[in-house]
Amino acid sequence: MTTTPPRPAVEIRDLHKSFGPLEVLKGIDFEVGHGEVVCVIGPSGSGKSTLLRCVNLLEEPTAGKIWVNGIEMTDPDVEIDAVRRGIGMVFQSFNLFPHLTVLDNLTIAQRRVLRRGRAEAERVARDNLERVGLTDKADAFPAQLSGGQQQRVAIARSLSMDAQADALRPSRPPRSIRNWSATCSPSCASLPRTA
Amino acid sequence: MKLRRRQRERLSLWLQYLAFIAFTAVVIYAADWGRLRAAFFRVDIVESMFPTIITVALRNTILYTLGAFAFGVVLGTLLALMRLSRVAPYRWVATAYIELFRGLPALLVLFLVGYGIPIAFPEREIPGGVFGSIAIGLGLTAGAYMAETIRAGIQAVPKGQLEAARTLGMSHFTAMRTIVIPQAFRIVIPPLTNELILLTKDSSLAYVLGVTAQTIEVTKFGRDTLNDRVNATPLLVAGLTYLAITMPLSQVVRRLELRYAKAR
Ligand SMILES: Nc1ncnc2c1ncn2[C@@H]1O[C@H](COP(=O)(O)OP(=O)(O)OP(=O)(O)O)[C@@H](O)[C@H]1O
Ligand SMILES: [Mg+2]
């Protein structure tokens, strides 16, 4: 479809979103390049979560266009399940699956969506748990974790869906994640990448 | 004399124990044990009921109950999903069904399945004989109740669970099946077990379908033995047989609830 030179990872044009009479997003335009780290900051209730939820179509935009990796999300014919696989998201309230262990939280979508075998899914899951420093919690249930630990599981769950996850076997966790785990360890309410 | 509050409470407690013991003693003393035992506990009659009450009657009671329960759960889940569907006609059909079957006596529905349908379609037969008729007859009603329970269970699962599953790329169907419905079922296990206990007792309605020596269940077996022996002992035995399955069932539920409480 796109033969043009690399498009931004995320491209948003004139995005509007209203909940009934309340207009939350009033024409947002921005781009995020590949490898770029962007922080969206603003007062509580200003629409940060709504913006991120629009990006993977958890909220239907009222108007405007969104592309992710060159694929138009707002196209009515978009293969939404396929595109969402390529978009990681950590929810503000984490939304871990309470009936599954930490390990199963990380493997279920790999197995059902990416069709990875159990052994491979568990290997990827354990690698990602190691990256967020939670190898010892693999068999715990979410309710048995602290808030910060739940957040790290949510991050690891999202990372486990990475297409390149097979290649990622870091001997040491990357710095960014070590910092996250450091910030998270006692209990922290919000981090930049949450939605 | 002025008593302190603790002492007053303790005195009141002891008085109540005393009253209870006195009452029990009077009942034990006043009851005509000889006649009660002759009417309700004739050991020879108890012995004559074994092993048939277990190998045939209880076995059939359990089969009928499980058949009706399985049919009801499948039907109830289907109706619950229809009631939550975005397709309006599905919602209408499910709502109409639930309203209708909750308002009809289970016995009437059983007659309908056992006699009404065979009259209307004489060339066809309900598969499974008495078992099929009772499973469907009781399951049709049970399904209507279970549908509402299951719908409430599905709605009790936070919206974020479905969103998180969809965000990971799962289809709506996969997300419902692997994430939402398993959680909903944990929520509805206590009310559904209640339904199972009700069905255990309702399975006694099988007698209206005309059961044979092979298809007899506990209540009818007790009643038939009562007729033969002109004695009430079989009713006591039948009653205890029901308790032998319904009481452990409540225990199992309590265990499951404890285990799931850990995962919540
Ligand atoms: N489903 C909804 N229906 C109606 N209003 C909503 C809905 N979701 C969000 N809103 C409203 O939209 C506005 C933006 O909400 P949003 O969750 O995006 O804020 P936020 O910037 O993420 O805030 P916070 O920093 O507190 O997380 C709020 O006023 C909120 O009440
Ligand atoms: Mg937010």
Side-chain angles (χ1 to χ4, degrees):
Chain A
M1 189 179 86
T2 47
T3 45
T4 37
R7 302 194 47 172
V10 179
E11 195 178 343
I12 293 177
R13 291 285 163 252
D14 196 30
L15 180 66
H16 291 260
K17 175 68 192 175
S18 307
F19 294 105
L22 176 71
E23 191 176 24
V24 179
L25 305 178
K26 304 162 188 161
I28 309 274
D29 288 276
F30 73 79
E31 291 172 7
V32 181
H34 289 277
E36 202 180 340
V37 177
V38 170
C39 234
V40 179
I41 51 178
S44 173
S46 58
K48 306 177 294 293
S49 294
T50 304
L51 173 64
L52 291 188
R53 289 165 58 84
C54 280
V55 170
N56 74 355
L57 242 54
L58 283 179
E59 300 289 355
E60 190 80 39
T62 314
K65 284 186 192 289
I66 300 167
W67 290 266
V68 177
N69 294 323
I71 300 168
E72 190 190 332
M73 302 295 291
T74 36
D75 178 349
D77 295 328
V78 73
E79 288 259 14
I80 188 66
D81 296 338
V83 188
R84 277 183 179 145
R85 264 170 241 167
I87 307 174
M89 173 154 165
V90 176
F91 289 84
Q92 192 156 2
S93 46
F94 317 138
N95 297 351
L96 298 179
F97 306 132
H99 62 304
L100 301 177
T101 61
V102 166
L103 192 68
D104 289 341
N105 261 274
L106 268 57
T107 56
I108 188 156
Q110 293 187 63
R111 302 193 58 201
R112 307 275 173 171
V113 178
L114 303 178
R115 302 270 156 215
R116 287 183 185 151
R118 175 189 289 278
E120 191 195 353
E122 288 192 357
R123 205 204 70 221
V124 172
R126 288 187 193 280
D127 281 351
N128 283 310
L129 280 181
E130 194 186 327
R131 294 171 78 186
V132 299
L134 281 177
T135 31
D136 53 329
K137 295 293 185 188
D139 297 319
F141 283 98
Q144 298 166 320
L145 303 180
S146 74
Q149 288 171 335
Q150 288 181 26
Q151 183 173 37
R152 279 140 72 191
V153 173
I155 293 167
R157 179 172 72 179
S158 174
L159 290 175
S160 297
M161 295 300 286
D162 196 322
Q164 282 101 53
D166 313 38
L168 282 178
R169 305 200 65 180
S171 49
R172 303 190 312 153
R175 169 169 303 152
S176 59
I177 288 168
R178 273 185 294 154
N179 287 348
W180 275 349
S181 4
T183 3
C184 286
S185 43
S187 82
C188 65
S190 64
L191 273 179
R193 261 205 40 194
T194 60
Chain B
M1 183 175 67
K2 246 188 152 181
L3 292 174
R4 274 199 253 117
R5 197 171 58 87
R6 283 288 296 272
Q7 286 173 315
R8 267 207 319 271
E9 274 172 8
R10 200 173 295 168
L11 186 68
S12 146
L13 197 65
W14 278 111
L15 282 176
Q16 290 179 59
Y17 275 124
L18 214 66
F20 177 75
I21 291 168
F23 177 78
T24 314
V26 168
V27 168
I28 290 174
Y29 179 76
D32 188 342
W33 287 106
R35 273 173 78 168
L36 280 176
R37 187 193 283 169
F40 285 101
F41 201 78
R42 284 258 307 275
V43 177
D44 59 317
I45 296 181
V46 174
E47 280 172 350
S48 78
M49 293 176 77
F50 282 88
T52 320
I53 190 163
I54 305 294
T55 56
V56 179
L58 179 59
R59 179 177 151 273
N60 284 333
T61 288
I62 291 175
L63 279 179
Y64 297 160
T65 306
L66 290 182
F69 187 73
F71 188 83
V73 168
V74 172
L75 180 65
T77 308
L78 198 72
L79 288 168
L81 291 176
M82 283 170 76
R83 279 215 52 175
L84 296 172
S85 168
R86 292 208 322 241
V87 186
Y90 288 170
R91 291 199 303 269
W92 301 333
V93 170
T95 309
Y97 180 95
I98 291 166
E99 290 305 321
L100 189 69
F101 277 81
R102 281 202 306 187
L104 295 176
L107 191 55
L108 186 85
V109 178
L110 201 57
F111 277 134
L112 195 75
V113 172
Y115 297 112
I117 291 182
I119 288 172
F121 306 98
E123 71 287 356
R124 287 250 170 123
E125 222 177 80
I126 291 178
V130 176
F131 171 77
S133 301
I134 190 102
I136 295 173
L138 292 181
L140 285 173
T141 305
Y145 282 99
M146 292 194 219
E148 287 297 84
T149 309
I150 294 169
R151 179 186 57 80
I154 292 174
Q155 286 179 323
V157 177
K159 191 167 123 261
Q161 291 291 308
L162 185 63
E163 289 182 350
R166 296 302 305 271
T167 296
L168 291 167
M170 288 189 197
S171 66
H172 181 81
F173 179 78
T174 307
M176 287 299 283
R177 197 169 54 82
T178 64
I179 303 299
V180 177
I181 290 181
Q183 291 184 56
F185 263 93
R186 281 161 170 71
I187 296 171
V188 301
I189 274 179
L192 281 192
T193 307
N194 208 26
E195 192 66 35
L196 183 62
I197 291 173
L198 291 176
L199 279 173
T200 307
K201 297 181 289 177
D202 283 354
S203 68
S204 62
L205 294 174
Y207 82 92
V208 303
L209 300 177
V211 294
T212 65
Q214 272 77 52
T215 58
I216 201 164
E217 45 63 61
V218 173
T219 299
K220 173 82 166 128
F221 181 73
R223 219 221 106 122
D224 284 359
T225 318
L226 175 140
N227 275 4
D228 287 350
R229 310 294 293 259
V230 198
N231 186 277
T233 305
L235 298 185
L236 184 81
V237 177
L240 290 176
T241 308
Y242 279 109
L243 290 178
I245 44 178
T246 50
M247 285 175 32
L249 220 50
S250 322
Q251 274 304 316
V252 168
V253 183
R254 216 161 295 161
R255 290 264 169 81
L256 285 178
E257 278 178 337
L258 277 180
R259 218 176 69 195
Y260 292 146
K262 216 166 73 175
R264 287 236 105 224

